[in-house]
């Protein structure tokens, strides 16, 4: 077995069909034993619940090769927990957390040749997904589901990697107050597609969504949480009044890294759009985005420019980025349980 012959440094954030995936099916009130398979195709009844009432939830995490040749992933227990929360909100059965982590291990080990080499800048993206396969016609939860994990090697989410991006304040809303914004379900992304296509056409990398109730507070972007650095060099993290921000595992880790490794103070609180001009740095954070610096926000033609500028990541975000990725890659000692060794 040897690594696949890919140009790892230029693969982009795209889907490659890899060799193996993990599949388990839920029927008669229980999950089957699950297995690794080679079949990337899914055959569904035309009446499958996922096609009509969007019963689908997913996760995203990454496996990395470390310098000493291990393959690790980052806090998969939190992905397992969040998937359980997401499933519960859509009346879907939980896939047990211990089986989730075991399945991640199995599918990554089976596709070990697809794990990008250490230092290539690429990683193996792991996509667990669960959806209703059972028949429904009236509006109700299905009684059969599939849980699947596939993997694909990926490069940076934003073109240019760590180059600052420009984002726009969206006129669309991502999540209703007390709706489903805090779970990772496809339905939260379907309605963001028109907004992101429009933003890209206008030359922006992402949308910043405001709270749907008052359109005053910053929530998050279509695919990442947001962090700011204030004038004193401390971290300010938007918090939602209405629980409509996805609880990002990267953001929760950054908060702990900022406090425990860098000695920063961290404020997690509602952040008004009109106070953002006082901040020095802004970043998008998530599994895919890691920490991507934002140079400017465009608010209906008015530019909010961060002191860190459009050339490189600001100094505080850079320290956070280096510390977080150092922990993930095994170069800096991780807090207990953060780095899960697969191989
Ligand atoms: C809407 C949204 N917010 C935030 C995040 C970041 O979450 P995490 O750090 O768990 O990947 C994601 C996914 O990456 C996302 O899709």
């Amino acid at each position: 077995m040897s690594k696949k012959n890919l140009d790892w440094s230029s693969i982009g954030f795209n889907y490659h069909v890899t060799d193996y995936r993990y599949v388990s099916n839920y029927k008669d009130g229980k999950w089957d034993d699950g297995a690794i398979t080679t079949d990337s195709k899914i055959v569904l009844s035309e009446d499958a619940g996922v096609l009509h009432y969007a019963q689908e939830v997913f996760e995203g995490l990454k496996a990395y090769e470390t310098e000493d040749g291990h393959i690790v992933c980052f806090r998969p227990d939190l992905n397992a927990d969040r998937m359980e929360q997401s499933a519960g909100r859509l009346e879907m059965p939980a896939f047990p957390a211990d089986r989730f982590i075991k399945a991640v291990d199995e599918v990554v080990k089976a596709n070990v040749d697809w794990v990008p080499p250490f230092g290539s800048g690429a990683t193996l993206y792991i996509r667990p997904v669960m959806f209703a396969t059972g028949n429904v016609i009236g509006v109700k939860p299905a009684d059969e589901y599939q849980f699947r994990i596939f993997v694909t090697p990926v490069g940076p989410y934003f073109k240019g990697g760590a180059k600052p991006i420009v984002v726009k304040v969206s006129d669309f809303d991502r999540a209703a107050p007390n709706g489903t914004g805090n779970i990772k379900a496809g339905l939260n992304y379907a309605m963001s597609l028109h907004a992101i296509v429009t933003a890209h056409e206008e030359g922006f990398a992402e949308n910043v969504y405001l709270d749907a109730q008052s359109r005053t507070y910053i929530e998050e972007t279509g695919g990442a949480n947001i962090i700011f650095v204030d004038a004193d060099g401390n971290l300010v993290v938007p918090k939602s009044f209405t629980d409509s921000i996805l609880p990002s595992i990267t953001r929760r880790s950054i908060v702990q890294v900022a406090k425990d490794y860098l000695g920063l103070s961290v404020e997690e609180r509602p952040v008004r759009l009109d106070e953002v001009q006082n901040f020095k740095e802004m970043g998008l954070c998530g599994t895919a985005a890691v920490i991507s610096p934002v140079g400017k926000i465009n608010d209906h033609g008015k530019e909010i420019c961060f002191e860190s500028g459009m050339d490189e990541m600001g100094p505080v975000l850079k320290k956070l980025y280096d510390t977080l990725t150092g922990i993930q890659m095994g170069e800096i000692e991780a807090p207990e349980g953060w780095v899960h060794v697969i191989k």
Side-chain angles (χ1 to χ4, degrees):
M1 301 259 275
S2 59
K3 294 263 184 225
K4 299 285 174 183
N5 186 20
L6 291 184
D7 181 4
W8 301 105
S9 57
S10 63
I11 49 178
F13 202 91
N14 300 311
Y15 172 66
H16 293 257
V17 190
T18 51
D19 297 329
Y20 300 100
R21 55 277 307 134
Y22 175 92
V23 175
S24 176
N25 290 300
Y26 182 91
K27 195 176 175 177
D28 300 328
K30 58 180 190 307
W31 291 104
D32 69 14
D33 290 342
I36 293 287
T37 123
T38 54
D39 194 356
S40 65
K41 299 282 188 288
I42 297 161
V43 177
L44 286 175
S45 158
E46 62 193 0
D47 203 25
V50 63
L51 300 178
H52 302 274
Y53 306 124
Q55 266 192 306
E56 185 264 4
V57 296
F58 66 101
E59 273 303 323
L61 63 162
K62 284 172 171 174
Y64 319 84
E65 188 175 86
T66 58
E67 197 164 10
D68 57 3
H70 286 294
I71 294 170
V72 301
C73 68
F74 188 64
R75 310 187 78 180
D77 52 320
L78 298 190
N79 294 96
D81 287 349
R82 189 171 62 190
M83 194 163 192
E84 185 169 343
Q85 300 297 320
S86 301
R89 178 68 173 78
L90 298 191
E91 287 296 329
M92 300 165 78
F95 191 76
D98 57 332
R99 288 194 57 192
F100 178 104
I101 295 170
K102 222 172 134 257
V104 166
D105 288 355
E106 278 181 39
V107 75
V108 172
K109 278 186 196 155
N111 290 290
V112 71
D113 296 344
W114 292 95
V115 180
F118 174 78
S120 65
T123 54
L124 190 74
Y125 186 75
I126 305 168
R127 171 53 62 89
V129 57
M130 189 202 292
F131 48 91
T133 52
N135 295 327
V136 289
I137 194 71
V139 179
K140 66 177 175 104
D143 53 12
E144 293 179 13
Y145 296 87
Q146 182 170 111
F147 172 83
R148 171 178 285 255
I149 305 181
F150 65 88
V151 298
T152 181
V154 293
Y157 190 64
F158 292 107
K159 283 197 203 103
K163 267 274 188 223
I165 54 175
V166 184
V167 297
K168 70 169 278 192
V169 175
S170 182
D171 288 324
F172 297 101
D173 294 322
R174 193 191 83 92
N178 309 308
T180 54
N182 59 352
I183 63 164
K184 203 160 171 68
L187 53 86
N188 287 331
Y189 297 82
M191 36 54 63
S192 77
L193 296 178
H194 177 61
I196 192 67
V197 168
T198 310
H200 286 165
E201 281 167 3
E202 294 168 356
F204 302 107
E206 250 290 11
N207 283 297
V208 170
Y209 291 102
L210 303 179
D211 76 289
Q213 194 165 310
S214 70
R215 304 196 58 79
T216 304
Y217 297 93
I218 300 259
E219 294 226 308
E220 62 174 317
T221 66
N225 279 183
I226 295 174
I227 52 177
F228 295 102
V229 177
D230 71 10
D232 298 322
N234 290 312
L235 202 64
V236 180
V237 180
K239 189 171 166 180
S240 164
F241 283 119
T242 51
D243 201 11
S244 36
I245 297 178
L246 187 77
S248 156
I249 293 162
T250 315
R251 184 252 297 165
R252 286 181 272 163
S253 306
I254 288 169
V255 165
Q256 203 171 323
V257 166
K259 288 181 188 162
D260 299 349
Y261 285 68
L262 303 180
L264 303 180
S265 86
V266 180
E267 271 187 283
E268 295 187 77
R269 61 168 174 84
V271 172
R272 295 189 322 274
L273 174 62
D274 68 8
E275 65 176 301
V276 161
Q277 61 198 20
N278 304 327
F279 297 144
K280 282 177 148 171
E281 298 177 44
M282 172 176 175
L284 308 188
C285 64
T287 298
V290 193
I291 298 178
S292 298
V294 175
K296 290 183 208 170
I297 304 181
N298 188 300
D299 177 14
H300 301 90
K302 188 183 121 210
E303 286 195 332
I304 305 166
C305 301
F306 294 97
E307 198 180 291
S308 49
M310 287 303 298
D311 291 331
E312 56 190 12
M313 194 180 277
V316 178
L317 289 191
K318 179 82 171 78
K319 263 192 232 157
L320 278 168
Y321 179 92
D322 288 344
T323 314
L324 178 72
T325 53
I327 289 170
Q328 290 173 332
M329 291 292 181
E331 290 156 345
I332 297 175
E333 191 171 342
E336 178 75 29
W338 278 24
V339 175
H340 172 77
V341 179
I342 295 174
K343 198 178 145 303

